[in-house]
Amino acid sequence: MDFAYYLYSFPGDQMIKDLLESTIKPASAILVAVSALSGCAYLPSGGPSDSQIHAQTKHTNVRLITVSPKFARTLWRKELEDRKLKAIREIDPLKKRLETVAVRLMPGDVVRVTFWTMPVQTGLGSGGGSDHNPRKEDMGQYTLNETGFVNLPYIGEAEIGGLSTTDADNRLDYLVERLRRFQSPEIRVHMIKNRGQHVVVTGSAAKPTILNWQNAGITLAEAITRAGGYRSTGRDYGHSLQANEVVVVQNGEPHTLSIRAALMHHVPLAPGDRVILTHRTLVRANCLGPGLTQSGLLSFGFTPTLAQTLAKAGGIGPTAQGRSIYVLSPSHKVIYRFAWDHVSGLRAAQQFPIQNGSVIYVANAPSVRLQQITSILFSAAYPIGIAKGL
């Protein structure tokens, strides 16, 4: 690409040609030097022009599609449908396990034992006198040893490991009744710390916690709520239902789903599950080109439209090619064109979804390149004209 390309590529170039011929004929050597330096690499450039994009897509496998409002609405509906299907695929493996898992006492569990009896005979729980109301005595907290046994007053060693709390109540009732020392004794076992059956909620949780398993089960939404939801670590964190993810680890296998899906659906957990709350950016888009007010990598916690993305980038600049704005798809197989100088292009931009990894490009107007060439010519012609006058 040489100087003649720029000289004849833009409107009004005849005027520049006449000026050149009348001014620098005596300085043909300088003209040759300027011509050699006025190629593509010499003139400042922030990327391909509108015409170059059109020309290059004709000789590649990249499709150039002009986006209409109807086409943009179709893509937006497809984005919503894909999001729903993705949520279903994420949740299905977790929802298949619907059976309720009962609380079982395990080695290392801490329990509180309560003793009830009628005050007829002397002994634990007996008040004597005319009081015939049941008496409650707190026997304290006990930890199941490695074999599932617990050592209780009066009863001694009792094996309750592997039993539900109800079955443990019944076994201890039987053991204390055999002593024949108490009137209508009843023992109740309450779980204090469930070391063997629990759900861990960690990661970006506001209050990382270990939840004791309960007979009614624990849902994913309940676990997240009891952990206080997400910890807010910045303006864009902790607020988006799409940008935040939940990783549920079951039997060593991780399942990732959005916080929106986790809260909207009934997802049962099981003892031993790990719930890890994480933050991530849902969409990152590169905004490039000399026609933008500010180029850079933009992050979103939701699926933005083209209009929202351009607004976050500061809008298009005064030198922008208003005729076209381009979006390169993440697959690099399609370039979407928006007629920014037409109402239909503005309407399409308000509904067009920007996918993660997209590139938004805004070129300069052709007049900017013309101004660059004019500046170069006049900077070369001015000293020559002075020299000629001398």
Side-chain angles (χ1 to χ4, degrees):
M1 184 176 294
D2 56 17
F3 181 75
Y5 171 83
Y6 294 106
L7 186 60
Y8 293 100
S9 296
F10 304 98
D13 286 335
Q14 184 61 41
M15 178 186 68
I16 299 174
K17 179 184 176 186
D18 294 340
L19 175 65
L20 180 66
E21 291 176 349
S22 64
T23 306
I24 62 173
K25 281 182 179 179
S28 57
I30 295 180
L31 174 60
V32 172
V34 172
S35 300
L37 294 174
S38 59
C40 296
Y42 179 74
L43 288 175
S45 175
S49 65
D50 180 74
S51 59
Q52 288 174 329
I53 292 176
H54 279 261
Q56 292 176 15
T57 53
K58 293 179 181 179
H59 306 288
T60 64
N61 294 327
V62 179
R63 291 189 299 157
L64 183 62
I65 299 177
T66 299
V67 181
S68 65
K70 181 179 179 180
F71 184 73
R73 286 194 300 271
T74 300
L75 290 182
W76 185 256
R77 286 194 294 266
K78 183 178 184 300
E79 174 72 18
L80 295 178
E81 187 63 28
D82 290 345
R83 197 182 303 165
K84 291 179 182 178
L85 293 175
K86 182 175 182 291
I88 293 173
R89 289 195 300 268
E90 292 170 343
I91 291 173
D92 274 350
L94 298 174
K95 294 182 69 174
K96 289 179 180 178
R97 188 174 56 187
L98 297 177
E99 67 273 11
T100 301
V101 179
V103 174
R104 298 287 175 181
L105 298 171
M106 302 290 182
D109 289 351
V110 178
V111 297
R112 181 181 295 278
V113 179
T114 305
F115 189 91
W116 294 83
T117 187
M118 295 297 293
V120 175
Q121 299 178 0
T122 60
L124 182 63
S126 174
S130 59
D131 185 3
H132 296 289
N133 295 320
R135 291 293 183 87
K136 173 185 175 182
E137 295 290 343
D138 185 0
M139 299 178 69
Q141 294 185 10
Y142 302 89
T143 301
L144 276 69
N145 65 20
E146 64 278 5
T147 58
F149 280 79
V150 64
N151 192 354
L152 299 174
Y154 300 102
I155 297 175
E157 292 283 344
E159 183 180 9
I160 57 175
L163 302 179
S164 66
T165 53
T166 301
D167 291 340
D169 293 344
N170 295 333
R171 173 167 292 185
L172 295 180
D173 286 346
Y174 169 75
L175 293 177
V176 76
E177 284 176 357
R178 291 198 311 175
L179 301 175
R180 301 183 182 277
R181 296 179 58 182
F182 307 100
Q183 180 68 29
S184 303
E186 288 188 4
I187 291 182
R188 293 293 176 263
V189 177
H190 308 276
M191 182 73 74
I192 301 300
K193 292 183 181 180
N194 194 333
R195 304 286 189 184
Q197 288 180 300
H198 54 249
V199 172
V200 176
V201 186
T202 186
S204 296
K207 298 181 295 183
T209 186
I210 298 176
L211 303 177
N212 287 338
W213 189 250
Q214 53 196 33
N215 286 319
I218 301 175
T219 66
L220 181 56
E222 180 185 357
I224 294 171
T225 303
R226 290 170 63 180
Y230 276 84
R231 179 178 65 250
S232 181
T233 57
R235 185 183 64 179
D236 296 329
Y237 289 139
H239 304 291
S240 173
L241 291 179
Q242 296 182 49
N244 296 327
E245 283 187 338
V246 181
V247 180
V248 180
V249 182
Q250 293 185 341
N251 300 321
E253 182 179 355
H255 303 272
T256 303
L257 61 158
S258 69
I259 184 65
R260 180 188 295 273
L263 296 178
M264 290 181 61
H265 297 269
H266 180 83
V267 180
L269 297 176
D273 286 354
R274 300 291 182 269
V275 178
I276 306 171
L277 306 187
T278 63
H279 288 296
R280 78 174 180 92
T281 299
L282 188 68
V283 174
R284 283 191 175 94
N286 279 296
C287 294
L288 304 173
L292 282 171
T293 301
Q294 182 178 359
S295 297
L297 179 63
L298 301 183
S299 300
F300 297 87
F302 58 93
T303 302
T305 63
L306 174 59
Q308 289 171 322
T309 306
L310 291 175
K312 191 169 183 178
I316 61 175
T319 65
Q321 161 64 278
R323 184 168 48 192
S324 301
I325 291 178
Y326 299 94
V327 176
L328 176 62
S329 68
S331 66
H332 299 170
K333 295 181 179 179
V334 181
I335 295 178
Y336 299 102
R337 174 186 176 273
F338 294 81
W340 204 250
D341 58 351
H342 196 276
V343 174
S344 64
L346 298 178
R347 290 173 55 200
Q350 288 182 311
Q351 298 175 305
F352 182 85
I354 296 297
Q355 296 178 317
N356 186 40
S358 296
V359 176
I360 294 91
Y361 179 78
V362 183
N364 265 338
S367 60
V368 175
R369 183 59 66 93
L370 178 60
Q371 291 171 1
Q372 293 173 345
I373 297 173
T374 304
S375 176
I376 292 173
L377 291 177
F378 273 95
S379 65
Y382 181 72
I384 296 173
I386 294 176
K388 182 179 179 181
L390 295 176

